[in-house]
Amino acid sequence: MTLAPARENVLAWLCDRVPAARIKHILGVEQVAGDLARHYGLDEAKARSAGLLHDLAKYFKPQLLLQMAQKEGLELDSVLEAHPHLLHADASAIVARDEFGVVDREILDAIANHTLGRPNMSQLSCTVFIADTIEPSRGNTAQLEALREASWQNLYAAVWQTSDYSLKYLLETRCYIHPRTVLTRNWALLMARSPETGNSTQKSIEQITS
């Protein structure tokens, strides 16, 4: 058992199971999560490890994702049952633990929280949640560039704005919205506006409260 598996072993496993474009995305998340962690004084190695492991179950079939969730005793609701793909984050944490021996709770939680987020999630989880959206291969739209700038100004504001970005897409495409996305967004907005949570510059405070 280990805090983090050997990087080459994870990459070899992934290369047999996900397409090249997804590998590029995963490496981008690994890099950006690590960079954000370093910027905010968090454990960079843990952030990079969580980024590398975050999509292990991305291409698992829906029935397998449901079976894994049920076996793990995860709470399933109507949205997750209708869209098991949303479980790939939790399933990836299970694979990280069972296949690669990861025992560090903060790494496992960061993997599990990278899609829907979670109120009161750790700052390390925040870095992977944000990195999943803003890593370079996602594109260079004006919205993404704004998110990238926000990520260096205020960690919680970036979580809130990343949630808004996801919600806007889900609304426009008439997709189901999991309640946890909304709860995460509201929690992050509250944290971003609080003078007691830190990780803020005066510029970001002005942007948030204006």
Side-chain angles (χ1 to χ4, degrees), residues 2-210:
T2 182
L3 291 177
R7 187 172 184 269
E8 60 270 20
N9 293 342
V10 177
L11 287 172
W13 190 95
L14 284 166
C15 285
D16 288 337
R17 292 166 176 84
V18 306
R22 181 55 48 171
I23 296 290
K24 183 178 181 181
H25 163 73
I26 289 169
L27 294 178
V29 175
E30 177 190 33
Q31 179 69 48
V32 174
D35 291 347
L36 287 172
R38 184 173 65 254
H39 179 71
Y40 288 108
L42 308 175
D43 191 313
E44 182 178 353
K46 285 187 181 184
R48 289 184 182 278
S49 182
L52 182 66
L53 296 161
H54 84 282
D55 266 351
L56 292 172
K58 179 70 175 180
Y59 292 93
F60 283 15
K61 293 187 181 301
Q63 192 57 41
L64 176 57
L65 292 171
L66 286 170
Q67 290 172 355
M68 292 176 69
Q70 290 164 350
K71 182 179 179 181
E72 191 70 14
L74 300 179
E75 183 178 351
L76 297 176
D77 53 37
S78 59
V79 178
L80 293 174
E81 289 173 345
H83 297 278
H85 173 71
L86 294 173
L87 291 165
H88 84 272
D90 290 291
S92 294
I94 295 170
V95 176
R97 182 193 68 198
D98 295 350
E99 181 75 20
F100 294 105
V102 178
V103 296
D104 187 279
R105 190 72 252 170
E106 196 171 20
I107 293 175
L108 293 174
D109 285 346
I111 298 167
N113 293 332
H114 85 264
T115 298
L116 300 177
R118 185 177 294 278
N120 301 311
M121 64 182 174
S122 72
Q123 292 184 334
L124 191 81
S125 285
C126 289
T127 68
V128 181
F129 179 83
I130 296 163
D132 187 47
T133 295
I134 69 169
E135 60 87 12
S137 75
R138 292 295 198 186
N140 294 292
T141 66
Q143 284 181 305
L144 282 173
E145 289 302 323
L147 281 178
R148 287 168 182 142
E149 180 178 355
S151 73
W152 299 107
Q153 298 294 326
N154 181 297
L155 191 61
Y156 297 112
V159 172
W160 145 46
Q161 291 172 37
T162 298
S163 299
D164 278 1
Y165 179 82
S166 298
L167 286 166
K168 182 174 184 290
Y169 171 80
L170 294 170
L171 288 167
E172 289 176 347
T173 54
R174 295 179 172 84
C175 290
Y176 288 105
I177 295 174
H178 194 276
R180 219 167 86 197
T181 302
V182 179
L183 293 172
T184 299
R185 182 262 182 194
N186 289 343
W187 163 76
L189 178 57
L190 181 66
M191 294 293 284
R193 287 175 166 166
S194 171
E196 300 174 356
T197 55
N199 291 335
S200 301
T201 65
Q202 186 58 40
K203 176 183 177 183
S204 67
I205 290 293
E206 291 171 356
Q207 290 172 335
I208 293 164
T209 56
S210 62

